[in-house]
Amino acid sequence: MKRILHLSDLHFGRADPGLVEPLLRAIDRNAPDLVVISGDLTQRARVSQFQKARALIDRITAPVLVVPGNHDTPLDNLFLRFLRPFHRYRRHINRELEPGHLDDTLAVVGVNTVNRFSWQRGRFSPRTVRRVCDSFDVTGGRLCVAVLHHPLEHGPGVEKRLMKGARAALRDLSECGTDVVLSGHLHQTEARPFTAQPGLLFVQAGTGLSTRLRGEMNTFNVLDCAPGRVEVTAWAADGGRFAPREAARYHRGAEGWTRQGPRRALSGATG
């Protein structure tokens, strides 16, 4: 099995500085094969905030795959936002906005869902869906994972607008063999099959470092993956340390993803 550590919404500029070292220790403790960060590394896309995000990434020893979030494009500088929205992100994080990762078990494709013309609401274009599906068409039985900032489905209590193109993208990704979608944006942890497409597993990370909490502590996810099998463990900050809180195993059968047994509460190891 391969291990993905899924972070999101670090929001340097509104991050808790006391959690940076505990987070790095927890990452090391988990020894992931890949670290995924699904956007919003910064609060206002300022140079100093990107520098802090870059410094954290540089201390992660595992391969890191990052996609931008809406906060990683300037909100208060309209010239940059409309004409050069990813200039600072490309300079400090990665010139590639939609990176990929391929090994003997995993095929991971990054998706840039940021919409410069609607700062908070994302966009998933048909052209991007085709690119992702084409990437997964030659993966040879690997677990296919898409990484994006904006979620493809909202729960009943979410007030934000669903991103443009989400429903069509969800349908098409399911039909072309995508297995798992990792996202962030809402600062809430969730893992379950998509309601509209149970053949896709929805894994959403909360905020790793931000002080803008929305009903839960700072969290990240650990996914232990094999083709047709995923175990998702949520880690949460508690007393200045990250610890595993609960885990759930999922199996993909003919009818889609199903949870195997009850969700398990965890205690013990801390980061």
Side-chain angles (χ1 to χ4, degrees):
M1 298 184 78
K2 291 295 179 71
R3 174 167 286 185
I4 299 173
L5 193 144
H6 176 206
L7 285 166
S8 196
D9 295 80
L10 302 177
H11 286 286
F12 280 100
R14 283 290 298 273
D16 182 347
L19 288 180
V20 172
E21 294 301 324
L23 177 61
L24 287 166
R25 288 195 295 269
I27 294 172
D28 285 344
R29 186 183 185 95
N30 276 284
D33 298 286
L34 177 68
V35 173
V36 165
I37 307 177
S38 54
D40 278 3
L41 287 82
T42 69
Q43 179 66 16
R44 284 290 180 262
R46 292 175 180 150
V47 170
S48 61
Q49 296 168 7
F50 276 120
Q51 289 172 337
K52 291 177 180 178
R54 179 75 256 172
L56 181 139
I57 292 170
D58 287 343
R59 294 181 62 187
I60 298 173
T61 57
V64 180
L65 184 149
V66 187
V67 297
N70 56 293
H71 277 265
D72 297 321
T73 61
L75 176 63
D76 50 2
N77 186 326
L78 293 181
F79 174 84
L80 282 179
R81 177 179 157 193
F82 290 123
L83 298 181
R84 305 178 73 189
F86 301 107
H87 172 70
R88 293 172 180 172
Y89 179 93
R90 290 180 186 272
R91 178 182 175 187
H92 294 283
I93 304 301
N94 192 346
R95 295 196 60 81
E96 177 59 62
L97 301 178
E98 297 183 315
H101 170 89
L102 186 69
D103 60 33
D104 57 345
T105 301
L106 300 171
V108 185
V109 173
V111 181
N112 175 21
T113 57
V114 176
N115 181 0
R116 76 184 75 180
F117 302 109
S118 180
W119 183 75
Q120 189 173 94
R121 188 186 186 196
R123 180 175 183 267
F124 205 139
S125 71
R127 179 179 180 181
T128 301
V129 174
R130 289 193 297 271
R131 179 188 67 83
V132 176
C133 288
D134 288 346
S135 298
F136 290 152
D137 193 41
V138 293
T139 55
R142 295 172 175 88
L143 188 79
C144 295
V145 182
V147 180
L148 43 147
H149 179 63
H150 299 83
L152 292 174
E153 190 173 87
H154 286 175
V158 176
E159 297 179 356
K160 290 184 178 181
R161 297 172 68 193
L162 190 64
M163 75 169 156
K164 186 176 181 180
R167 292 181 179 87
L170 184 56
R171 179 197 64 229
D172 293 344
L173 290 176
S174 182
E175 290 177 355
C176 78
T178 310
D179 296 300
V180 182
V181 177
L182 306 181
S183 59
H185 188 53
L186 300 180
H187 294 205
Q188 295 174 338
T189 303
E190 192 162 5
R192 58 173 173 80
F194 280 94
T195 302
Q197 297 291 342
L200 272 174
L201 187 63
F202 174 31
V203 181
Q204 181 174 280
T207 171
L209 293 173
S210 176
T211 59
R212 299 173 68 207
L213 302 175
R214 295 175 184 159
E216 68 177 37
M217 296 177 286
N218 295 93
T219 62
F220 64 85
N221 296 322
V222 174
L223 290 78
D224 290 303
C225 307
R229 292 183 295 149
V230 176
E231 179 170 342
V232 183
T233 303
W235 283 60
D238 185 11
R241 298 187 296 178
F242 283 89
R245 288 306 182 199
E246 58 182 21
R249 292 191 180 97
Y250 297 90
H251 176 265
R252 185 171 185 174
E255 302 300 318
W257 289 96
T258 56
R259 195 169 72 195
Q260 304 296 292
R263 189 177 296 272
R264 298 183 295 114
L266 298 174
S267 61
T270 57

